[in-house]
Amino acid sequence: MKRFLALLLALVMTMALVACGGKNDTPSTDNTPPAQNDPAPETPAEKVDINVIAAQYGQNTGDWWANFVKEFNSTYENINLTVEVVSWNDIYTVVNTRISNNQAPDILNIDVFADYQADDLLLPAEEFVSAETYAKMYPAFLDQSVVDGTVWAIPDLASARAMYYNVDILEAAGVEVPTTWDELRDACAKIKAYDSSIYPWGIDMTTDEGQAAFAYYIWNNGGDFTDANGNWTLNTPENVEAIEYAISLVKDGYTNSDPATETRYDLQDLFGAGKLAMMIGPNSIPTYIAEGGSTINYAFAAIPTNGGNPSVSAGVMDRFMCFDNGHSDEKIEAIKTFFDYFYDDARYSDWVLMEGFLPATSAGGEIVAASDPSMAPWVEIVGSCKFYPTAKAEWADVKQGVIDVEQHALLGGDVAELLDTLQASLPG
């Protein structure tokens, strides 16, 4: 019995020592209060870096993005956002150089996407955009970025095009607003006779907007970039006739002096200064002119057309896309946070109004139309615009190709031969 009690006592003492975590039976002389079992302080999580390359739309683009970055980074302390704003003349070179050096941006704001998608460089849109933000966007805009049934980019903003004209110049020259190509040529002749210091008509065939000029003329002559099956049709008779007509206006002295180097911004400056009577341009021109301090009396109308074809308003849509850079789950969530922040209704509408473009979200459209009644007709127009075939992988090459055709034609090249050569370089 005594042996049993001794064994039991020894067992109890051992359990007590284990329960107290004791490894030393020497009494402690430390007077520090016992630990309260608080968790160890967490090591601050590393910030997630997001880098964006964004296109420069106007004079205020850089400042807007700088403020955006400052506000975003102060709101989300676990994300380090950087945005590099690059001019349209340089952005393609900058991006392609980065890609070739394995330094693709996380997010890119540009117009083209299909060539990057064809090279397996992009993530599907629904992987980097939250469901809530994705649902805000006009379906027609999302459709412009579909390849093989998947949306690969989301719309940033859009613009529609129309013919702007100086009301006072046309009235002084005794000219009615032209609606056909014959009327346009006649109006140019009368304006030139009225005041030879005024350019009657503006054309931009630069690397900035040359593809737009190509579209204005072929679409309003019954031509197109592709046929109903999506096959390239750049050298059709309608397209040849359209570009020959545009080049003839230049050769007859009815346009700005150098369409190969004078961008639409140069044309807008001339128009605002009362030195250009008519031009095709985006809905952002009123904002551009107002910020330049111009007080000219102007209006806009449908783009002149030929052969009884209906007038076509060209729509241009730019995009955001996300490169597949092996992002972690945390990085993807941070990218979603970026887009949620950007497409916040009030913030996104501020962006669109500041740049003078058209919104790509329904809520943005409502806010823009309410904030600026002059934009309301454009918000409706953009839904029925014709767009470039940017979902085709060859679009980047075609875009540069039609600009090259125009610029060689300005130097005396044969339009039909130039378009034949371009068409022959394309698949199918």
Side-chain angles (χ1 to χ4, degrees), residues 270-294:
L270 289 169
F271 186 74
K275 298 297 184 181
L276 176 64
M278 299 176 288
M279 67 173 290
I280 300 173
N283 51 278
S284 58
I285 284 183
T287 300
Y288 187 94
I289 289 177
E291 290 177 350
S294 174

Side-chain angles (χ1 to χ4, degrees), residues 12-68:
V12 170
M13 291 178 67
T14 301
M15 293 177 64
L17 285 172
V18 172
C20 294
K23 292 186 179 179
N24 191 334
D25 58 1
T26 304
S28 174
T29 58
D30 187 358
N31 294 321
T32 303
Q36 301 301 310
N37 295 322
D38 290 335
E42 294 184 5
T43 302
E46 291 186 6
K47 287 190 175 185
V48 176
D49 292 322
I50 300 176
N51 65 84
V52 179
I53 293 181
Q56 182 174 18
Y57 290 98
Q59 300 96 324
N60 300 319
T61 304
D63 289 341
W64 191 91
W65 274 115
N67 290 330
F68 179 96

Side-chain angles (χ1 to χ4, degrees), residues 198-268:
I198 296 174
Y199 297 120
W201 184 248
I203 291 182
D204 172 359
M205 290 181 170
T206 70
T207 55
D208 182 51
E209 282 272 289
Q211 77 286 352
F214 191 86
Y216 299 153
Y217 294 98
I218 68 168
W219 282 343
N220 284 288
N221 195 42
D224 208 338
F225 291 92
T226 63
D227 61 20
N229 296 319
N231 300 309
W232 294 107
T233 54
L234 300 177
N235 60 342
T236 61
E238 293 84 359
N239 290 1
V240 172
E241 179 185 30
I243 303 308
E244 286 180 341
Y245 172 79
I247 297 297
S248 73
L249 295 178
V250 179
K251 292 182 176 179
D252 290 343
Y254 292 150
T255 71
N256 45 303
S257 58
D258 193 358
T261 63
E262 292 165 331
T263 69
R264 68 181 173 93
Y265 297 106
D266 297 318
L267 299 184
Q268 289 170 188

Side-chain angles (χ1 to χ4, degrees), residues 33-332:
Q36 301 301 310
N37 295 322
D38 290 335
E42 294 184 5
T43 302
E46 291 186 6
K47 287 190 175 185
V48 176
D49 292 322
I50 300 176
N51 65 84
V52 179
I53 293 181
Q56 182 174 18
Y57 290 98
Q59 300 96 324
N60 300 319
T61 304
D63 289 341
W64 191 91
W65 274 115
N67 290 330
F68 179 96
V69 169
K70 181 179 179 181
E71 293 174 2
F72 182 89
N73 284 338
S74 64
T75 302
Y76 299 99
E77 296 182 354
N78 64 320
I79 303 175
N80 179 42
L81 172 68
T82 59
V83 177
E84 180 182 358
V85 177
V86 182
S87 74
W88 278 107
N89 283 333
D90 300 326
I91 194 167
Y92 307 103
T93 300
V94 169
V95 173
N96 292 335
T97 299
R98 301 279 176 86
I99 292 173
S100 65
N101 292 328
N102 294 318
Q103 296 175 339
D106 296 321
I107 298 170
L108 175 62
N109 164 219
I110 204 170
D111 51 352
V112 296
F113 82 98
D115 48 345
Y116 304 130
Q117 187 276 331
D119 290 336
D120 295 324
L121 297 176
L122 302 181
L123 288 175
E126 290 187 284
E127 290 188 16
F128 63 84
V129 182
S130 70
E132 180 182 1
T133 294
Y134 190 86
K136 292 181 177 183
M137 298 170 185
Y138 289 126
F141 284 12
L142 292 171
D143 289 344
Q144 303 303 315
S145 299
V146 172
V147 176
D148 296 331
T150 299
V151 178
W152 295 94
I154 57 174
D156 167 23
L157 41 69
S159 65
R161 308 300 169 96
M163 181 184 72
Y164 287 82
Y165 60 95
N166 186 306
V167 175
D168 295 337
I169 291 176
L170 265 62
E171 288 183 353
V175 172
E176 296 290 332
V177 178
T179 61
T180 68
W181 284 3
D182 288 341
E183 291 173 355
L184 175 59
R185 179 177 291 280
D186 182 61
C188 288
K190 290 180 179 178
I191 292 169
K192 189 173 183 179
Y194 159 69
D195 188 340
S196 60
S197 70
I198 296 174
Y199 297 120
W201 184 248
I203 291 182
D204 172 359
M205 290 181 170
T206 70
T207 55
D208 182 51
E209 282 272 289
Q211 77 286 352
F214 191 86
Y216 299 153
Y217 294 98
I218 68 168
W219 282 343
N220 284 288
N221 195 42
D224 208 338
F225 291 92
T226 63
D227 61 20
N229 296 319
N231 300 309
W232 294 107
T233 54
L234 300 177
N235 60 342
T236 61
E238 293 84 359
N239 290 1
V240 172
E241 179 185 30
I243 303 308
E244 286 180 341
Y245 172 79
I247 297 297
S248 73
L249 295 178
V250 179
K251 292 182 176 179
D252 290 343
Y254 292 150
T255 71
N256 45 303
S257 58
D258 193 358
T261 63
E262 292 165 331
T263 69
R264 68 181 173 93
Y265 297 106
D266 297 318
L267 299 184
Q268 289 170 188
D269 287 338
L270 289 169
F271 186 74
K275 298 297 184 181
L276 176 64
M278 299 176 288
M279 67 173 290
I280 300 173
N283 51 278
S284 58
I285 284 183
T287 300
Y288 187 94
I289 289 177
E291 290 177 350
S294 174
T295 58
I296 63 168
N297 179 22
Y298 68 95
F300 66 88
I303 298 173
T305 186
N306 188 48
N309 290 291
S311 178
V312 176
S313 176
V316 178
M317 185 186 77
D318 296 329
R319 299 165 167 84
F320 281 111
M321 59 208 73
C322 181
F323 281 80
D324 186 1
N325 293 337
H327 304 305
S328 64
D329 292 342
E330 291 79 11
K331 183 77 167 274
I332 290 294

